[in-house]
Amino acid sequence: MNPPTIYRIDKNALKLKNLNSDQIILKILNEFQVGIVQEDLNIFKIENIEYSLYTFNTDEIESEWKSFFPKTLSGTNNFSQQTIALILFIKSEFDIYAVIGGNSYKIILPFIDQSFGIDTYSKIIKPAEDSITSIKARGITGNRAGFSEQYRNDFKIIDYIKFGNVPKEINVRLNEKTSKLHFKFLVDKKRPKTQIVVGKGIKIKRDINFNELHRIIKEIVIIRQLVSSDFLSSYVEINDNLYIENELKPKLIDAIYEDIPFIRGIANVRQFHFDFCNPNNIEKFYEADEYKLKEKTENGGHTVFKVVNNKDEIYSEIILHALTKVSPLNKFNFKVFLQGVRITCYKDRKVTISSSFLFHINSEFRIGTSPVFLIDNKWYFLRDTFIKELRTQTVHILKTYKLQDVYLQKWENTINKEGVYNLLYNEVENYIVIDTILVDGIELCDILYYNDSRIYLTHVKKGFSADMRELTNQVLISARRLKECLGSDDKTFLNKVYNAILNKDRSVNNLSQEEFLDLFTQKKIVYTLAFKSEQQADLLVEENIDSYNSNIAKFSLVQCSSEMRINYYDLEIFQIPSH
């Protein structure tokens, strides 16, 4: 039998609010099977911990092997199968835990504490002594929505770069001292260190019996009373569903609703700054050929109301359509309509990803003086220590990796759009404007500039705000695609870029296709992330970091700089002046 995973029931789940422990157990079971009462549970107590066991047969299903064999071979053989499933509820003084068997995970999933394992481990973590075997994490910034990494030898927790990542599951080997202190009954001379897997739950990586499970539960009760370390992640996921529903989600709807005047063209200044991408796969979203925008129908289905080819048009098209459909126009009706909108992405006429409209929005809000982040449909607080660290690292990057060759001109205040600024360089010697030219769904850069030794691929953004996350995503996706292209004999991608520039009637500085390719093979490649402040005073970010409030902009910049230098090309930063 595989070692069991221990989960913790979240008593603050919406359907469990104001229920006692016995009522919670029955509520969870009756969400699955109606009519279960206390007498259906096998209950016994050891010391001050109470165990309640519930077993059931799963529905009889036909094995997938039946469709594998031809009928002439399978004949009248019986392929039906049925398995036993179980849930063991464990009640301590303050908490309810659960151990499952069979396919009963789906029953408890809506009710478990999603951060239980990670949070519990953070209470006993020793970063310089504990070793990671593997880790799964979700990226807050960059183009990696999620990733899994395995480590050789004795890779310490302290060597794990936490910046920009939220750990979701860690396979960790505890140091000998912690192993003996908390799990002495599980170690011996051959295995002096306890290996655990922590994520949504906690699993000991070795076979255990019921008595050992009981001792593990007792130890977890003790550990849960300790203070958590903030080493693993500087982000605190908000799991209070009532708080999310009643306080945080209304802030998102308010921000979109108040953005309507800007979308209509009535207001000149946008107050709502956000990044817009699919939460499940950023690259597939960026590389899609077309996007079908769908609204909910009365029978619960969805129908297409608009097809767009440019991801940047999605948000405004949905808001404008909502204004024609919502009557009377108020926040409640507006919210209900937006909740029913879906975006389906297509590549080569095939569906790649699909998700709810509201899931695509990533932004930063304020609760009092504290920043709150909405990233990939999850809400986070930032720890105070992280905000200070973030400020320091942002200034360091802006000063250390400042653009060496200043080849960009001033951005006059009369220029309102990035596209207008980028086109100033068309037909200027040594410049090629590639803005809005997509090849395989990827924009190589906005402005290409080259001199005798270097070629600069410049991505431009107006404002140092949440939009920076989109800019850094574009930089990373472009760099990855360029590196793949230059690492192979097939230069189709760059050839397509060259031809697309010509088809757009843009200047290529009289370069032949071969000379254009030589720019990338004969010169040092440098990416430039260029932005213009939207502040009236046009203050330099590096000297006035506290005047710029967007933490999303700051950690997007820091993470992008790190990823570029480790995996791709040098990245230099330039704040375009307005005077």
Side-chain angles (χ1 to χ4, degrees):
M1 185 184 78
N2 292 326
T5 299
I6 301 166
Y7 300 97
R8 176 177 178 268
I9 301 301
D10 179 10
K11 292 182 178 181
N12 289 320
L14 284 175
K15 293 183 178 180
L16 304 182
K17 276 284 189 180
N18 302 318
L19 300 180
N20 63 37
S21 294
D22 290 338
Q23 290 171 332
I24 286 173
I25 292 173
L26 292 176
K27 177 69 174 178
I28 293 171
L29 291 174
N30 281 306
E31 286 289 306
F32 170 66
Q33 290 187 0
V34 178
I36 297 171
V37 295
Q38 195 76 14
E39 288 73 22
D40 294 327
L41 302 177
N42 184 12
I43 302 173
F44 65 103
K45 191 172 184 178
I46 304 177
E47 296 173 293
N48 59 342
I49 296 175
E50 187 175 291
Y51 295 86
S52 305
L53 180 64
Y54 181 76
T55 62
F56 56 95
N57 291 320
T58 60
D59 293 336
E60 191 173 272
I61 59 173
E62 283 193 341
S63 168
E64 59 186 14
W65 283 103
K66 183 172 183 179
S67 60
F68 176 81
F69 297 112
K71 290 183 179 179
T72 52
L73 182 59
S74 61
T76 58
N77 286 294
N78 184 7
F79 286 87
S80 298
Q81 58 185 14
Q82 190 177 59
T83 59
I84 295 292
L86 63 87
I87 305 177
L88 174 66
F89 290 102
I90 306 162
K91 293 191 295 182
S92 68
E93 182 179 359
F94 301 108
D95 290 310
I96 304 173
Y97 302 100
V99 171
I100 61 171
N103 63 350
S104 53
Y105 178 66
K106 62 184 179 182
I107 300 173
I108 68 165
L109 177 60
F111 307 102
I112 63 174
D113 177 353
Q114 300 286 327
S115 304
F116 164 61
I118 297 289
D119 180 57
T120 302
Y121 172 56
S122 73
K123 296 173 182 292
I124 58 172
I125 187 173
K126 295 291 185 288
E129 301 170 36
D130 296 345
S131 304
I132 299 180
T133 303
S134 64
I135 188 166
K136 294 178 181 178
R138 192 162 60 78
I140 291 292
T141 64
N143 66 336
R144 300 167 74 189
F147 58 90
S148 175
E149 295 177 337
Q150 293 73 42
Y151 302 95
R152 296 188 181 94
N153 303 322
D154 200 22
F155 189 85
K156 300 300 184 186
I157 286 276
I158 200 169
D159 297 321
Y160 167 66
I161 301 174
K162 61 175 180 173
F163 202 92
N165 300 326
V166 176
K168 305 305 288 183
E169 182 179 285
I170 309 174
N171 196 320
V172 63
R173 187 179 293 109
L174 301 175
N175 65 86
E176 288 190 30
K177 184 178 180 180
T178 301
S179 298
K180 289 179 181 178
L181 177 63
H182 294 289
F183 303 105
K184 184 178 181 179
F185 54 95
L186 296 176
V187 300
D188 51 40
K189 290 184 178 180
K190 290 184 178 180
R191 292 183 291 186
K193 298 180 179 180
T194 304
Q195 189 162 343
I196 61 176
V197 180
V198 293
K200 295 178 181 178
I202 299 174
K203 178 165 68 174
I204 306 294
K205 290 278 286 184
R206 55 156 286 182
D207 291 338
I208 60 172
N209 57 38
F210 184 81
N211 288 332
E212 289 169 331
L213 172 65
H214 174 68
R215 296 182 71 176
I216 292 169
I217 294 295
K218 287 176 59 180
E219 201 58 42
I220 288 175
V221 171
I222 294 171
I223 292 171
R224 293 289 297 174
Q225 298 176 51
L226 304 177
V227 177
S228 297
S229 162
D230 64 357
F231 183 85
L232 279 175
S233 175
S234 299
Y235 313 90
V236 184
E237 183 176 346
I238 301 170
N239 292 311
D240 186 334
N241 293 316
L242 280 176
Y243 181 66
I244 291 173
E245 291 294 329
N246 297 333
E247 298 292 334
L248 300 180
K249 285 187 177 180
K251 282 192 171 292
L252 172 61
I253 299 301
D254 287 348
I256 300 174
Y257 192 80
E258 290 166 6
D259 199 38
I260 290 175
F262 181 84
I263 298 300
R264 280 176 161 169
I266 300 172
N268 294 324
V269 179
R270 163 165 273 171
Q271 301 298 327
F272 181 38
H273 297 281
F274 59 92
D275 167 50
F276 194 87
C277 65
N278 187 281
N280 300 314
N281 194 308
I282 295 173
E283 292 195 14
K284 285 184 178 179
F285 178 72
Y286 274 58
E287 296 174 5
D289 297 327
E290 66 177 20
Y291 308 85
K292 291 187 178 179
L293 314 182
K294 303 177 181 180
E295 61 184 311
K296 199 168 187 178
T297 59
E298 291 183 0
N299 61 6
H302 284 83
T303 183
V304 176
F305 65 83
K306 186 80 174 183
V307 178
V308 299
N309 302 109
N310 186 344
K311 63 179 176 56
D312 296 331
E313 299 174 1
I314 295 174
Y315 174 84
S316 58
E317 289 291 348
I318 289 174
I319 302 305
L320 290 172
H321 183 69
L323 298 179
T324 67
K325 301 287 288 189
V326 177
S327 180
L329 180 60
N330 54 49
K331 286 183 183 178
F332 178 78
N333 292 338
F334 187 64
K335 176 188 73 172
V336 171
F337 179 82
L338 293 183
Q339 287 174 334
V341 175
R342 293 189 66 81
I343 302 166
T344 303
C345 303
Y346 288 78
K347 178 77 172 177
D348 299 326
R349 298 183 180 180
K350 295 180 180 178
V351 175
T352 54
I353 43 173
S354 180
S355 194
S356 168
F357 164 68
L358 291 175
F359 288 4
H360 288 70
I361 297 176
N362 306 281
S363 191
E364 179 179 351
F365 303 88
R366 289 270 164 180
I367 303 295
T369 59
S370 302
V372 176
F373 292 82
L374 171 60
I375 304 288
D376 297 341
N377 200 40
K378 291 183 179 292
W379 295 86
Y380 298 90
F381 282 120
L382 271 186
R383 301 185 196 275
D384 291 339
T385 53
F386 176 69
I387 296 174
K388 295 176 182 176
E389 178 187 350
L390 181 60
R391 184 187 300 116
T392 301
Q393 292 199 38
T394 302
V395 171
H396 170 74
I397 287 171
L398 290 169
K399 290 183 175 181
T400 306
Y401 302 115
K402 190 178 294 187
L403 182 65
Q404 294 182 22
D405 301 319
V406 179
Y407 56 86
L408 295 170
Q409 59 181 282
K410 296 177 182 178
W411 187 318
E412 301 293 343
N413 289 327
T414 54
I415 299 174
N416 291 323
K417 296 184 178 180
E418 295 153 7
V420 175
Y421 175 79
N422 294 333
L423 285 174
L424 294 176
Y425 298 90
N426 191 36
E427 298 186 350
V428 177
E429 187 176 358
N430 288 34
Y431 292 84
I432 299 174
V433 178
I434 308 180
D435 179 30
T436 71
I437 293 176
L438 300 178
V439 173
D440 300 332
I442 297 171
E443 187 178 69
L444 180 63
C445 62
D446 292 316
I447 302 165
L448 184 152
Y449 167 76
Y450 58 93
N451 56 27
D452 291 340
S453 60
R454 289 181 159 205
I455 174 175
Y456 291 90
L457 303 177
T458 311
H459 291 255
V460 177
K461 180 62 65 177
K462 184 182 180 185
F464 191 76
S465 60
D467 295 351
M468 287 291 287
R469 186 170 188 255
E470 179 183 13
L471 183 64
T472 55
N473 284 338
Q474 290 173 340
V475 168
L476 290 163
I477 291 172
S478 168
R480 177 189 60 79
R481 186 66 181 88
L482 180 60
K483 187 174 183 179
E484 289 174 355
C485 175
L486 296 178
S488 68
D489 295 330
D490 184 4
K491 301 298 185 289
T492 302
F493 174 71
L494 287 176
N495 289 330
K496 285 183 179 179
V497 171
Y498 178 83
N499 292 326
I501 296 169
L502 294 177
N503 292 335
K504 200 96 171 181
D505 292 327
R506 302 258 181 88
S507 168
V508 292
N509 268 264
N510 297 316
L511 295 176
S512 66
Q513 186 162 309
E514 184 177 351
E515 289 171 329
F516 179 76
L517 294 178
D518 285 344
L519 293 177
F520 298 87
T521 57
Q522 305 299 320
K523 299 179 186 295
K524 178 179 174 61
I525 297 172
V526 178
Y527 272 78
T528 303
L529 191 155
F531 65 92
K532 177 196 178 294
S533 166
E534 285 190 298
Q535 292 190 356
Q536 192 170 10
D538 195 28
L539 300 174
L540 273 177
V541 177
E542 65 192 65
E543 296 177 0
N544 302 274
I545 190 68
D546 291 330
S547 297
Y548 291 84
N549 296 323
S550 177
N551 289 303
I552 286 184
K554 294 168 190 172
F555 67 60
S556 295
L557 176 63
V558 172
Q559 181 70 5
C560 180
S561 177
S562 173
E563 285 195 42
M564 284 294 290
R565 292 175 200 291
I566 292 172
N567 300 314
Y568 304 113
Y569 305 99
D570 285 352
L571 176 69
E572 297 184 356
I573 318 298
F574 184 65
Q575 181 171 341
I576 306 170
S578 60
H579 50 74

